[in-house]
Amino acid sequence: MSSGARAAEMLGMMIGDLHPGEGRIYVQTKGLGGAKEACPASPEAFAWLTLYLGELAQDGHRPASDEPVWWTLRGPTRPLTYTALRAVLSRINARIGANITLHDLRHTLCLRLIEDPAITLVDAQQVMRHRRITTTSTYLRPRIDEVIAKVHEHYTRPKPPPQPLTGWTYDPDDLADVFGNR
């Protein structure tokens, strides 16, 4: 969830696409003609990936750098497909009584990023790899109480007193042109 990657992007990752020292992964995004794009990933994501890859190694499977990250754990070991991933999520949903989709995880990240005052809307757009800022802006959920408080603060904020102009004077001819001869 920390990368904002789409399911197809995650499933297309190879071991060589993981760069924990840089805090990023590389995914093949839609519309880039096969180019891979860097995505941020949290330290916790890399910790979980380490545990997962350790489990694979205990089962005798150590994928090479040009092999997929995600593999089936049941039955014969083979690359995880979108259908198999949905089946895993369906089993989890049944067990916990939820209805979470793969895309819900991506939406959750975007909402969390936008709620963080230290992250701009453009930052969130970059993480989500949205082509247009208007797509990212649909995640904005202003809370009316917060909006009212901010506007109230704007109206009640003390205004600085006007400062006299120093260091320059008006040309009397200019004043006469603007105001006439008084």
Side-chain angles (χ1 to χ4, degrees):
M1 183 174 88
S2 69
S3 69
R6 296 167 179 92
E9 294 169 346
M10 292 291 287
L11 292 171
M13 286 185 346
M14 303 296 161
I15 294 294
D17 295 330
L18 305 175
H19 294 261
E22 299 171 14
R24 64 180 75 190
I25 60 172
Y26 287 83
V27 298
Q28 186 171 344
T29 62
K30 60 183 185 178
L32 287 181
K36 292 205 172 188
E37 192 170 345
C39 303
S42 70
E44 292 83 7
F46 287 111
W48 285 106
L49 272 169
T50 301
L51 292 171
Y52 161 74
L53 293 172
E55 190 175 321
L56 277 179
Q58 285 177 351
D59 291 341
H61 186 68
R62 296 176 189 272
S65 65
D66 62 344
E67 290 187 292
V69 171
W70 306 106
W71 297 82
T72 60
L73 297 177
R74 293 178 9 175
T77 303
R78 60 191 181 282
L80 188 65
T81 65
Y82 184 80
T83 303
L85 183 56
R86 283 192 61 188
V88 168
L89 194 54
S90 292
R91 286 193 300 276
I92 292 169
N93 279 331
R95 181 176 282 174
I96 65 173
N99 187 23
I100 298 168
T101 66
L102 297 169
H103 212 69
D104 288 340
L105 301 177
R106 186 171 153 79
H107 288 297
T108 300
L109 172 66
C110 194
L111 289 169
R112 288 181 180 176
L113 291 175
I114 286 175
E115 287 179 2
D116 186 333
I119 295 180
T120 68
L121 189 61
V122 174
D123 294 336
Q125 175 192 13
Q126 183 67 34
V127 171
M128 302 306 292
R129 291 167 315 287
H130 289 152
R131 185 172 295 165
R132 294 180 183 83
I133 195 73
T134 52
T135 304
T136 312
S137 69
T138 61
Y139 289 88
L140 294 173
R141 308 257 191 274
R143 294 185 182 103
I144 192 64
D145 292 343
E146 291 176 2
V147 172
I148 290 171
K150 286 179 185 177
V151 172
H152 178 72
E153 179 185 330
H154 168 77
Y155 288 134
T156 59
R157 186 179 307 128
K159 306 290 185 271
Q163 300 296 316
L165 299 174
T166 59
W168 54 284
T169 60
Y170 294 103
D171 183 333
D173 291 334
D174 290 341
L175 291 173
D177 288 344
V178 173
F179 298 109
N181 286 332
R182 290 189 190 189

